[in-house]
């Protein structure tokens, strides 16, 4: 019997080659094939089941995470999966775990900040998971201000050791994932003190637990910090606390690529910039941008499929009601998010390239592109995660009441996703880093130093400050050069206006603090320009497949014009466009939505997400939503009994009280 497909008609409407779009989304045919294989492998394995996750107690959820991690590790070894495939497996298992920090931060910290001897000693054990590590930077009192950390690592020349100590309550390490219950080791960030002098924050490899009994080593207090937001979600992670009471480690456990301490206790700063101590964060911020497109695509896939199934109002002559996806308001809320998922995918690909490039340069001691890599990773991490977090909530609302059910998949996705706006750098703090970089670039204009990379457009400031947008009709907004120039002009004008305002302050730091809300807006304008320009660049590539490029052009225009509509105030106030041109952009946007509409279901099918990964009844591939919702309701433990536990003790006495009250 042929399987039921409630979306069959929608799928027939598609005007492009779906298989080719799947390859564009995956990045290459090879990536598509690997990812498809791993997704199916995970979906068909009962150990990776997750449909009962939000019902588990914290302890059961944690044990389930350990079980999944052990099973994942066994599969990785048995099937000889590459690191790339293992990472795909991690994504599809879809359960935050200590392994994220071990592979995503502990190992990269040693690789980026350790010497070759340290690599030889620690990496083989870490790669085999004979030791498990975490990244212990944040403290109870300080997270954003890394220079404000209080943990000390004092060198003792007599024993050739560092003495690690937590001098205050606020110096307790607080938040590191994997620390609470699992890690045997940590890269700990502490103030280096030699000869009574404070040399700032550096990384140290510290063993925390015994490798035989898993008990904390002497002088170490360690535990979990407690339940976090939502059920299921990030509670599978053992975010931990850690205190040191004069714990001794050998000198060679300080990560010494950036600076060294000699046997005599002399502090030596190498040619490598001290910012490399922050290098692991740059790496992870880059991965967070790629992950943002996955989370956004997932929410959008659920909301789009459900919007095509759901009908409300408008039945004529007894015919079917209107699919909610046909309401213009639904389209104007949903399609920009669909376009953003594709936009973030492409900017994530580009950022990965940028990161690989800067890493190769760093290995050759070329540090010239580090500031730009920092600004791009910080800014795009901030922008993409903020948009994605808001978008998941918007998708919940787009699904009406059923979106609030746990089995819509959206509440847990929201709960697990929102901390990305905070971890790896609070999003506002990161935007202020971008703003600093932009203000520095503006201050160097005219000095002969030509801006390059993502700030190259500032080199054309003279033109961009006075150019006029030539749009006369709605369709003029479809010209890539018109869109790009409007975004470049807005970004440069906002940057230069802020730089001028800063110049009015006698103390630049006072000015920066006072104008920080405006500076955040400047940074956002710059980041949006990067995303728009990378989408446009993607369209310059040869993209095979019937109708594929056309759909991407439509999505690119939706992405750019919805931003223009949303930030119309910026564009008009800076004189980049007139109010009438803004109205024409909005008119064009409405026409674009009509072009997205017949392709919407196929555009989310292109993400190639399994029902297991989506974890959503509303987003299931076959669209058989109502029957599944009905069946699922009966599986709730509350429905195990017809009369609930507690009826006799609590309900019945209330129900019967009217008899007594009536007697009073
Ligand atoms: C169950 C399933 C199992 C599956 C198993 C599968 C097995 C898997 C196998 C393999 C899979 C691979 C897996 C990979 C996984 C990847 C996933 C990773 C998930 C990670 C989860 C993350 C969890 C969260 C972690 C954290 O949050 S860690 C802590 C992060 N903390 C922060 O981000 C702090 C933010 N603060 C700062 O960054 C800084 O302090 C500051 C705000 C930048 C200010 O610093 P300060 O020194 O005060 O700087 P300034 O004076 O402002 O600037 C000085 C100077 O430096 C420049 N700068 C600043 N930062 C950087 C930088 N990072 N890089 C370069 N340069 C930088 C700045 O621009 C200034 O420059 P100028 O002087 O030129 O102006
Ligand atoms: C789920 C989760 C996992 C984490 N995992 C790890 C981990 O593995 N390892 C680790 O070391 N850490 C980890 N962290 C900690 C995380 O990196 C920090 O919480 C994060 O960097 C934010 O720092 P904070 O908590 O000090 O926020 P704060 O800086 O205290 O932020 C509070 C508010 O102050 C504002 N603010 C702060 N400074 C400024 C400023 N200069 N200008 C304007 N506004 C400002 C912020 O915007 C924010 O609104 C994790 C956190 C979470 C939530």
């Amino acid at each position: 019997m042929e399987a039921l497909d409630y979306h069959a008609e929608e799928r027939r409407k598609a005007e492009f080659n779906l298989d080719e779009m799947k390859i564009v989304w995956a990045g290459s045919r090879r990536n598509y094939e690997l990812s498809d294989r791993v997704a199916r492998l995970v979906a068909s394995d009962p150990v990776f089941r997750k449909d009962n996750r939000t019902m588990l107690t914290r302890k059961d959820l944690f044990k389930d995470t350990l079980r999944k991690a052990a099973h994942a590790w066994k599969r990785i070894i048995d099937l000889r999966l590459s690191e790339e495939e293992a990472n795909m497996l991690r994504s599809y298992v879809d359960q935050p775990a200590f392994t994220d920090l071990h592979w995503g931060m502990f190992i990269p910290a040693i690789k980026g900040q350790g010497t070759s001897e340290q690599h030889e000693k620690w990496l083989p054990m870490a790669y085999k998971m004979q030791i498990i590590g975490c990244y212990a930077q944040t403290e109870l009192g300080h997270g954003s201000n890394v220079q404000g950390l209080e943990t000390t690592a004092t060198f003792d020349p007599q024993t050739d050791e560092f003495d690690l100590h937590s001098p205050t309550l606020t110096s307790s390490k607080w938040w590191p994932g994997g620390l609470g219950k699992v890690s045997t080791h940590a890269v700990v960030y502490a103030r280096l003190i030699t000869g009574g002098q404070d040399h700032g924050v550096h990384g140290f490899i510290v063993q925390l637990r015994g490798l035989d009994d898993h008990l904390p080593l002497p002088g170490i207090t360690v535990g979990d910090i407690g339940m976090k937001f939502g059920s299921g979600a990030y509670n599978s992670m053992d975010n931990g606390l850690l205190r040191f009471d004069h714990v001794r480690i050998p000198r060679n456990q300080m990560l010494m690529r950036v600076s060294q301490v000699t046997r005599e206790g002399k502090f030596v700063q190498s040619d490598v910039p001290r910012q490399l101590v922050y290098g692991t964060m740059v790496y992870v911020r880059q991965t967070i941008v790629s992950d943002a497109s996955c989370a956004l695509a997932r929410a959008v896939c659920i909301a789009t499929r459900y919007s095509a199934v759901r009908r409300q109002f408008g039945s004529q002559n007894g015919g079917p009601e209107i699919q909610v996806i046909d309401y213009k308001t639904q389209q104007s809320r949903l399609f920009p998010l669909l376009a953003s998922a594709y936009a973030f995918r492409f900017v994530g690909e580009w950022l990965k390239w940028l990161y690989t490039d800067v890493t190769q340069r760093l290995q050759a001691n070329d540090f010239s592109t580090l500031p730009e890599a920092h600004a791009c990773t910080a800014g795009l991490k901030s922008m993409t995660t903020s948009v994605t977090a808001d978008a998941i909530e918007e998708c919940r609302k787009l699904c009406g009441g059923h979106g609030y059910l746990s089995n819509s998949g959206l509440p847990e996705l929201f709960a697990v996703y929102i901390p990305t706006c905070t971890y790896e750098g609070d999003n506002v703090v990161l935007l202020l880093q971008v703003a600093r970089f932009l203000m520095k670039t503006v201050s160097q204009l005219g000095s002969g130093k030509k801006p390059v990379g993502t700030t190259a457009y500032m080199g054309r400031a003279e033109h961009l400050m006075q150019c006029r947008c030539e749009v006369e009709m709605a369709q003029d907004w479809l010209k890539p050069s018109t869109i790009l120039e409007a975004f470049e002009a807005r970004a440069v004008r906002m940057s230069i206006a802020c730089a001028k305002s800063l110049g009015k302050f006698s103390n630049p730091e006072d000015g920066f603090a006072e104008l920080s809300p405006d500076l955040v807006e400047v940074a956002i304008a710059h980041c949006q320009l990067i995303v728009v320009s990378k989408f446009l660049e993607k369209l310059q590539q040869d993209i095979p497949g019937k109708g594929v490029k056309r759909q991407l052009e439509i999505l690119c225009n939706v992405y750019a014009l919805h931003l223009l509509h949303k930030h119309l105030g910026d564009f008009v106030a800076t004189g980049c466009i007139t109010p009438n041109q803004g109205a024409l952009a909005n008119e064009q946007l409405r026409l674009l939505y009509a072009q997205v509409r017949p392709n919407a279901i196929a555009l989310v099918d292109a993400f190639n997400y399994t029902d297991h990964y989506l974890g959503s009844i509303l987003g299931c591939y076959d669209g058989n939503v109502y029957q599944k919702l009905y069946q699922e309701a009966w599986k709730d433990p509350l429905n195990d009994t017809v009369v609930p536990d507690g009826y006799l003790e609590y309900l019945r006495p209330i129900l019967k009280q009217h008899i007594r009250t009536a007697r009073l």
Side-chain angles (χ1 to χ4, degrees), residues 137 144 146 275 278 281-282 285 374 423-425 433 440:
Q137 183 174 290
S144 298
V146 179
Q275 283 85 357
Y278 299 157
M281 295 187 274
V282 174
R285 286 170 193 158
H374 165 50
Y423 65 54
E424 284 310 331
Q433 286 286 306
K440 206 167 175 176

Side-chain angles (χ1 to χ4, degrees), residues 77 83 173 198 200 223 244 269 319 338-339 427 445 480 580 586 629 637:
I77 291 174
E83 193 169 334
K173 292 292 172 191
D198 185 332
F244 298 107
Q269 177 77 57
L338 172 61
N427 278 355
L445 292 176
N580 187 43
N586 199 25
L629 278 175

Side-chain angles (χ1 to χ4, degrees), residues 547-562:
V548 173
K549 192 167 187 170
R550 174 84 197 109
Q551 286 309 310
L552 294 175
E553 281 165 356
I554 293 170
L555 290 175
C556 180
N557 289 328
V558 167
Y559 181 71
L561 295 184
H562 105 276

Side-chain angles (χ1 to χ4, degrees), residues 6 41 131 167 256 322 384 420 424 539 574 579 581 590 599 609 624 631 653:
Y6 285 84
L41 189 127
I131 59 171
M256 293 219 202
I322 294 173
T384 56
T420 55
E424 284 310 331
L539 295 174
T574 48
Q581 288 169 328
R590 280 200 305 274
N599 297 289
Y609 288 158
N624 190 5
Q631 283 166 351

Side-chain angles (χ1 to χ4, degrees), residues 101 105 134-139 141-145 174-178 228 234 237 239 419-420 422-429 432 516:
L101 281 302
M105 296 204 80
C134 64
Y135 185 86
Q137 183 174 290
T138 306
E139 297 175 355
H142 294 93
S144 298
N145 180 8
W174 194 271
W175 272 118
K228 288 148 292 197
Y234 217 80
M237 185 71 86
N239 292 93
T420 55
T422 305
Y423 65 54
E424 284 310 331
D426 166 83
N427 278 355
V428 168
V429 170
L432 290 171
S516 53

